[in-house]
């Protein structure tokens, strides 16, 4: 079976890799655009701590459960994913918020052993794990939470796909009737097409008249350096907001991220965006005040009207793997596996379908 995948962000790269694993002939077409969400992202892999709707939660939980197996598979093939289980902390100064978080996480962990152990930490214990943390913040700690570098994981999936014969074409792609794909001056055709062009998916499909209702949401995410500090084992930090902190080896701490709707494809670090990230980061972790600001990355999340990913078949031979919003690095690897299975005729477990959000647009 010949499949053309449009886009090589986390959804497209994962779909191509999993299609190739199952013996498909795969061509990936993608333009070299600035602002691919995966490359800007530093991912928190902890679906158990997120406030998913209960109907969507099974998909997110399955995605979290899949990560260790995928990371091991890539590692065995010589491609490091950067995925590590480092634990995560929901932090707050409010006893009520921490109690609510503990009850919710304990309930989810009871049905998900991979989520790990849930426990309350006082402010001192929380700072032992993440030293820059504000002294008034206590935490609920979840031992199974992980983190991943979006750039590294994307490279690993692409390299593993190439090892299995996937062809990559760098060109602007446009969908045309008859499952034809215009890749620059070249015309490609296949038995199926997977549209995984992230925030650009709608304009790629425009000529077909198939609605793909995703829009770009700009995210700005900043990287700090703490020279001489060993940060590899620091947990993910999740305040009661959309901002977060996580750390990588070598003194690197990442703070994000803005959620800027209506910014279009304006690929700039803005003064207001930078201020928001810094203010939120320093409110939670004032100990980062002496850190060096290394860089701020900008990415365009593909956001659907209701925030659900758009996965599955929308026309004969045409499949979607887009609309992940801020959850791309959590959902994308597993979603790519599911879409690959759908393309090749497999069934998806019914309890996962509520997370697809695609039926209204087919």
């Amino acid at each position: 079976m010949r499949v053309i995948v449009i886009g090589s962000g986390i959804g497209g790269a994962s779909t191509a890799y999993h299609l190739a694993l199952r013996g498909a002939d795969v061509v990936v077409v993608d333009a070299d655009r600035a602002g691919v969400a995966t490359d800007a992202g530093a991912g928190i892999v902890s679906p158990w701590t997120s406030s998913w709707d209960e109907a969507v939660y099974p998909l997110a939980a399955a995605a979290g459960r899949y990560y260790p197996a995928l990371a091991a598979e890539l590692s065995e093939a010589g491609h490091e994913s950067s995925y590590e289980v480092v634990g995560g902390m929901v932090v707050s100064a409010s006893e009520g918020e921490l109690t609510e978080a503990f009850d919710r996480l304990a309930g989810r962990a009871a049905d998900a052993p991979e989520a790990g152990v849930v426990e309350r930490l006082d402010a001192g214990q929380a700072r032992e794990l993440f030293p820059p943390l504000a002294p008034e913040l206590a935490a609920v700690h979840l031992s199974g939470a992980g983190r991943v570098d979006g750039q590294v994981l994307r490279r690993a999936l692409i390299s593993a796909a190439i090892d299995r014969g996937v062809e990559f074409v760098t060109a602007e792609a446009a969908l045309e009737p008859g499952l034809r794909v215009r890749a620059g001056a070249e015309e490609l055709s296949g038995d199926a097409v997977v549209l995984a062009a992230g925030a650009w998916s709608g304009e790629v499909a425009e000529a077909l008249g198939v609605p793909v209702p995703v829009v770009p949401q700009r995210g700005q995410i900043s990287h700090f350096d703490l020279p001489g500090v060993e940060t590899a084992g620091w947990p993910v930090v999740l305040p009661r907001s959309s901002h977060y902190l996580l750390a990588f080896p070598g003194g690197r701490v990442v703070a994000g991220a803005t959620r800027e709707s209506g910014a279009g494809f304006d690929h700039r670090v803005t003064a207001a965006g930078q201020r928001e990230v810094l203010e939120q980061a320093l409110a939670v972790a004032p100990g980062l005040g002496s850190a060096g600001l290394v860089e701020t990355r900008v990415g365009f999340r593909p956001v659907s009207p209701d925030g659900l990913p758009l996965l599955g078949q929308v026309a004969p031979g045409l499949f979607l793997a887009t609309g992940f919003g801020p959850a791309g690095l959590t959902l994308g690897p597993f979603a790519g596996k599911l879409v690959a299975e759908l393309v090749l005729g497999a069934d998806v477990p019914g309890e996962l379908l509520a997370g697809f959000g695609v039926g209204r647009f087919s």
Side-chain angles (χ1 to χ4, degrees), residues 194-322:
V194 178
L195 178 54
W200 294 270
S201 296
E203 64 183 52
V204 172
E206 194 171 3
L208 280 187
V210 176
V212 183
V214 295
V215 295
Q217 181 192 71
R218 184 169 62 189
Q220 302 183 48
I221 179 170
S222 295
H223 291 234
F224 303 95
D225 180 45
L226 291 169
V229 178
E230 184 46 66
T231 52
W234 287 11
V236 171
V237 173
L238 301 163
R240 303 292 284 184
S241 72
S242 62
H243 288 260
Y244 53 84
L245 295 164
L246 65 156
F248 290 96
R252 178 67 64 104
V253 178
V254 180
T258 63
R259 296 188 181 186
E260 302 171 67
S261 300
F265 289 103
D266 183 359
H267 188 257
R268 294 182 301 143
V269 176
T270 65
Q274 186 69 86
R275 181 182 66 183
E276 178 185 334
V277 173
L278 292 176
E279 286 181 347
Q280 292 286 338
L282 293 177
V284 174
L288 293 176
S290 61
L293 178 58
V294 178
E295 64 173 324
T296 296
R297 300 178 185 177
V298 176
F300 303 113
R301 306 180 187 94
V303 177
S304 70
D306 58 6
L308 297 179
L310 303 180
L311 307 173
Q313 189 167 8
V314 289
L318 177 62
F319 297 79
L320 296 184
T322 187

Side-chain angles (χ1 to χ4, degrees), residues 56-118:
V56 182
Y57 172 69
L59 175 64
R65 187 164 55 247
Y66 180 58
Y67 247 97
L70 175 63
E73 185 175 86
L74 290 171
S75 180
E76 288 171 7
H79 307 288
E80 292 305 319
S81 67
S82 80
Y83 170 73
E84 293 286 347
V85 175
V86 293
M89 297 193 301
V90 177
V91 299
S92 177
S94 164
E95 176 65 25
E97 289 182 352
L98 291 171
T99 298
E100 184 277 330
F102 180 86
D103 291 344
R104 176 165 49 86
L105 292 181
R108 287 179 169 178
D111 297 321
E114 61 277 4
V117 177
V118 183

Side-chain angles (χ1 to χ4, degrees), residues 19 42 47 60 117-119 140 152 171 185 188 197 211 263 303:
L19 283 166
V117 177
V118 183
E119 59 181 334
V140 176
V152 175
L188 305 172
V303 177

Side-chain angles (χ1 to χ4, degrees), residues 150-175:
Q151 288 186 357
V152 175
L153 178 59
R154 182 191 185 201
R155 284 199 301 267
L157 287 166
I158 289 174
S159 296
I162 290 172
D163 287 349
R164 292 185 170 271
V166 175
E167 178 186 356
F168 281 77
V169 176
T170 301
E172 294 279 352
L175 266 171

Side-chain angles (χ1 to χ4, degrees), residues 22 25-26 106 173 177 193 212 224 244 269-270 299 326 331 336 344 349-350 353 357:
R22 289 156 179 77
D25 175 20
V26 184
V193 173
V212 183
F224 303 95
Y244 53 84
V269 176
T270 65
L331 298 178
L344 299 177
L353 293 176

